[in-house]
Amino acid sequence: MDEVTIKGLHRIKVKDDKGDPDDAVLEIRYRKIRVLPPIGKQTKYPALTLTVIHAQERGRPKRRKKIEWKLLTDLPVQSRKDAINKIEWYALRWKIEVFHKILKSGCKAEDSKLRTAERLVNLIAVFCIVSWRDF
């Protein structure tokens, strides 16, 4: 990806090691690649055309690790806007993981003793509301 020209910059909000807000400016690069299946499986599986999105922070932050994300997607990326959209989706991953942690550990959703799918769906719906508010 070092050979690929920078397609644009994108500013994101992050937290440093102390939890204080900080800004990061990411250099955005992307390109298509072709991924072949293992040699023994080439008759069974087709080659994949994927896009690599490389988001690397400019400069060196003082109180946290430098951001460097390498994302693979089969979704179309034809512009800087498309690449930033996929990066923003990836950035939401951390919030989704915290939400699921609250759902599993805080609400203890997996410890439920309900026997029917309908009751379990209703319980999880309530737990989702509680988890979202706690989040």
Side-chain angles (χ1 to χ4, degrees), residues 9-73:
L9 302 175
H10 182 59
R11 183 179 302 273
I12 61 170
K13 303 270 186 208
V14 294
K15 292 187 180 182
D16 65 17
D17 294 337
K18 295 180 180 179
D20 296 328
D22 195 13
D23 284 341
V25 176
L26 303 176
E27 296 176 347
I28 309 298
R29 294 177 170 94
Y30 57 90
R31 72 178 284 191
K32 288 189 181 213
I33 62 169
R34 188 174 156 100
V35 179
L36 299 173
I39 291 172
K41 306 275 183 172
Q42 288 182 351
T43 57
K44 205 172 186 183
Y45 300 102
L48 297 175
T49 300
L50 303 174
T51 301
V52 178
I53 303 171
H54 187 211
Q56 186 173 20
E57 186 172 5
R58 274 195 163 172
R60 193 164 294 281
K62 294 178 183 171
R63 295 182 304 269
R64 60 179 172 75
K65 290 182 179 179
K66 186 175 182 173
I67 295 171
E68 184 173 9
W69 294 336
K70 296 173 185 170
L71 311 174
L72 287 172
T73 183

Side-chain angles (χ1 to χ4, degrees), residues 55-117:
Q56 186 173 20
E57 186 172 5
R58 274 195 163 172
R60 193 164 294 281
K62 294 178 183 171
R63 295 182 304 269
R64 60 179 172 75
K65 290 182 179 179
K66 186 175 182 173
I67 295 171
E68 184 173 9
W69 294 336
K70 296 173 185 170
L71 311 174
L72 287 172
T73 183
D74 63 349
L75 297 171
V77 178
Q78 298 173 352
S79 67
R80 174 185 162 275
K81 184 179 175 182
D82 290 344
I84 288 172
N85 183 254
K86 305 318 181 261
I87 289 168
E88 288 174 345
W89 289 354
Y90 181 74
L92 292 175
R93 174 178 169 256
W94 311 112
K95 290 181 180 183
I96 293 167
E97 287 192 20
V98 170
F99 173 78
H100 281 102
K101 182 178 180 183
I102 294 167
L103 187 62
K104 289 177 73 175
S105 301
C107 293
K108 302 202 183 289
E110 294 176 326
D111 293 346
S112 157
K113 304 275 192 239
L114 299 177
R115 295 182 185 193
T116 66

